[in-house]
Amino acid sequence: GRKSKKDKPAEKSSSTGDKIAAAVGAETAGVAQPSAGAAPTTADAPTKTQKKEKKEKAPKAAKPAAVEKPLSPCLIDLRVGHILKAIQHPNADSLYVSTIACGDAADADNTSEHEGQVVRTVCSGLNGLVPLADMQGRRVVVVCNLKPVTMRGIKSAAMVLAASPRLEHGDDDAHKGPVELVNPPPGAQAGERVFFEGWEGEPEATLNPKKKVWETLQPGFTTTEALEVAFEAGAVEALK
């Protein structure tokens, strides 16, 4: 009854196979197996090539076209300004640098604080035309919605209005004759709007330099005998 050496490998192989089968059976125990002849449906097991349906995007609403305001001096933000101090520009002989209260809110752009007031820094080409002493502490009319510009290293956030005689035909000297600061209406306080009767309306937040609104309307600005600002529509080609 002794086994030959040839039988031993076969027996070991059979024993190893039994162990593997037993191990596989243990691992698969408890796993549900599909019943014979039942194939999984698409709902049960989607294929990898199946693509999800794309949701149709709702069309974007068209933005309303910007309403073009008619040309009018009311587009220019004219305000009463109070010059708190004025000095000579350190880098330009022809410029003054004024600190002007224009009634701006504390968080307004291009403003700072001076002696507890919200102010704008304004460069004006008035040196040699208006005495510096005449700039101190006085009220003026200021254009407040021009795009700020840097003039010799100092940002200017407004423009002080001044008047000079109209040019005669063939005369190209814009500063010929006396140059005088424009007066606001009597009793007006810093920040009050200045407008013209018959041209009421809201000014632009900032004038678009490309549209040249100020340059188009500037010929219509004039002054009364009391040096108060006035407007003549007939002097503006686009308003004739």
Side-chain angles (χ1 to χ4, degrees):
R2 189 176 180 181
K3 296 179 181 180
S4 66
K5 292 181 180 180
K6 293 182 180 180
D7 295 334
K8 288 182 180 179
E11 182 180 282
K12 189 178 288 186
S13 176
S14 176
S15 176
T16 303
D18 292 341
K19 290 178 181 179
I20 293 173
V24 173
E27 288 181 1
T28 57
V31 178
Q33 299 296 326
S35 59
T41 62
T42 304
D44 294 332
T47 61
K48 291 183 179 180
T49 56
Q50 182 180 358
K51 296 182 179 179
K52 294 182 179 179
E53 295 182 2
K54 294 182 179 180
K55 294 182 179 179
E56 294 184 1
K57 294 182 179 180
K60 293 182 179 180
K63 293 183 179 180
V67 178
E68 188 76 17
K69 294 182 179 179
L71 186 66
S72 165
C74 77
L75 299 178
I76 299 173
D77 188 1
L78 295 176
R79 298 188 214 168
V80 178
H82 183 199
I83 301 177
L84 302 183
K85 70 171 184 177
I87 62 172
Q88 291 187 357
H89 195 298
N91 302 318
D93 294 336
S94 63
L95 298 177
Y96 289 146
V97 180
S98 302
T99 301
I100 306 179
C102 300
D104 292 294
D107 58 348
D109 293 336
N110 304 306
T111 62
S112 57
E113 185 177 330
H114 178 76
E115 297 180 350
Q117 297 191 58
V118 179
V119 297
R120 297 187 183 206
T121 299
V122 182
C123 296
S124 306
L126 298 173
N127 194 356
L129 301 172
V130 176
L132 185 59
D134 291 354
M135 301 284 289
Q136 309 298 332
R138 69 165 291 160
R139 284 177 170 79
V140 289
V141 176
V142 184
V143 181
C144 289
N145 60 344
L146 296 173
K147 186 177 180 180
V149 294
T150 300
M151 304 178 73
R152 294 293 185 93
I154 296 179
K155 181 186 263 190
S156 180
M159 181 175 66
V160 174
L161 286 187
S164 60
R166 290 190 183 276
L167 297 177
E168 299 293 337
H169 182 68
D171 196 348
D172 59 357
D173 185 1
H175 292 154
K176 184 178 181 180
V179 175
E180 299 174 273
L181 295 172
V182 173
N183 292 324
Q189 300 301 311
E192 290 188 52
R193 285 270 327 275
V194 177
F195 60 91
F196 306 102
E197 292 182 1
W199 298 97
E200 293 86 352
E202 289 301 313
E204 295 281 0
T206 303
L207 293 176
N208 187 341
K210 295 181 180 180
K211 294 184 178 180
K212 297 187 179 298
V213 174
W214 166 254
E215 291 80 357
T216 301
L217 294 171
Q218 191 271 338
F221 282 82
T222 184
T223 56
T224 66
E225 292 295 328
L227 286 180
E228 292 179 358
V229 65
F231 185 75
E232 295 179 356
V236 179
E237 285 293 330
L239 294 178
K240 282 184 178 181

